[in-house]
Amino acid sequence: MSTREGDDTLDQAWLNDHSEYQLNFVHGLRNASGLHLQYHLAGDRVVTTWVAGEEHAGFPGLVHGGLIAAVLDDAMGRCSVLQRRWVVTGRMETRFREAAPLGAALRVEGWATRFTRRVMQAQARMSLEDGTVVAEASGTYLPVPSSLLGRMIEAWPGFAEYTDERA
């Protein structure tokens, strides 16, 4: 697996969960209720497209804002894998600019603006095909605390393969 510092290749099991787990609500392919988004890299940006269906509605005909925020959060959080690191959301701010219609292709892109040992700051944008910005977000992400990492590995021992921890 290509997951260590200094290795320029990014294993898709990091960018997109191709492990046995795959239960993340936004990008897990085995989550029956999930969105099943899959990412690709466009330069230093993590990018995906989402077409929200009726089950994602807030107001009639429009995507629920909480789901928009969840997708933006996930795109920003995925940026940490470019450094082979796992993070949790410390703070996030979302600005909704336009209503997102159900059934429209929504382009989502996230990018890190600062990455240190103690913090990652990132931004994300969701837009319609014509470039109209639906929402923008910024966030501060922190390394997964060892106590939480231990709980995650206890819940799914296979996660240890993607960390420096061992179950």
Side-chain angles (χ1 to χ4, degrees):
M1 217 167 74
S2 303
T3 58
R4 297 293 174 235
E5 294 284 339
D7 186 345
D8 291 334
T9 60
L10 181 66
D11 188 321
Q12 286 298 304
W14 279 70
L15 185 59
N16 294 297
D17 183 0
H18 293 170
S19 70
E20 293 175 13
Y21 180 69
Q22 297 187 44
L23 293 176
N24 177 284
F25 175 73
V26 175
H27 62 261
L29 296 177
R30 290 184 45 227
N31 186 329
S33 300
L35 303 179
H36 305 143
L37 299 185
Q38 296 291 280
Y39 296 99
H40 67 275
L41 294 176
D44 64 347
R45 296 186 180 213
V46 173
V47 179
T48 192
T49 300
W50 177 39
V51 178
E54 289 182 6
E55 67 275 20
H56 306 123
F59 284 116
L62 303 175
V63 181
H64 191 286
L67 293 176
I68 290 171
V71 170
L72 292 171
D73 178 46
D74 198 65
M76 289 187 290
R78 293 278 80 193
C79 293
S80 70
V81 303
L82 300 177
Q83 300 291 323
R84 277 57 167 191
R85 304 261 305 273
W86 298 112
V87 296
V88 293
T89 309
R91 180 188 61 78
M92 180 178 158
E93 182 176 322
T94 306
R95 177 147 185 151
F96 297 94
R97 301 216 175 257
E98 292 287 333
L102 296 174
L106 300 168
R107 177 183 168 85
V108 180
E109 54 186 317
W111 61 96
T113 57
R114 179 175 177 229
F115 208 114
T116 69
R117 190 171 60 82
R118 293 187 176 153
V119 69
M120 178 185 80
Q121 292 177 328
Q123 294 182 336
R125 176 182 309 121
M126 182 180 288
S127 54
L128 298 169
E129 286 182 305
D130 68 2
T132 301
V133 175
V134 168
E136 299 171 306
S138 61
T140 300
Y141 295 80
L142 308 170
V144 174
S146 59
S147 61
L148 183 56
L149 189 60
R151 288 173 38 202
M152 292 162 59
I153 293 171
E154 184 178 314
W156 182 60
F159 189 63
E161 182 181 346
Y162 299 95
T163 72
D164 290 332
E165 305 288 321
R166 297 294 172 237

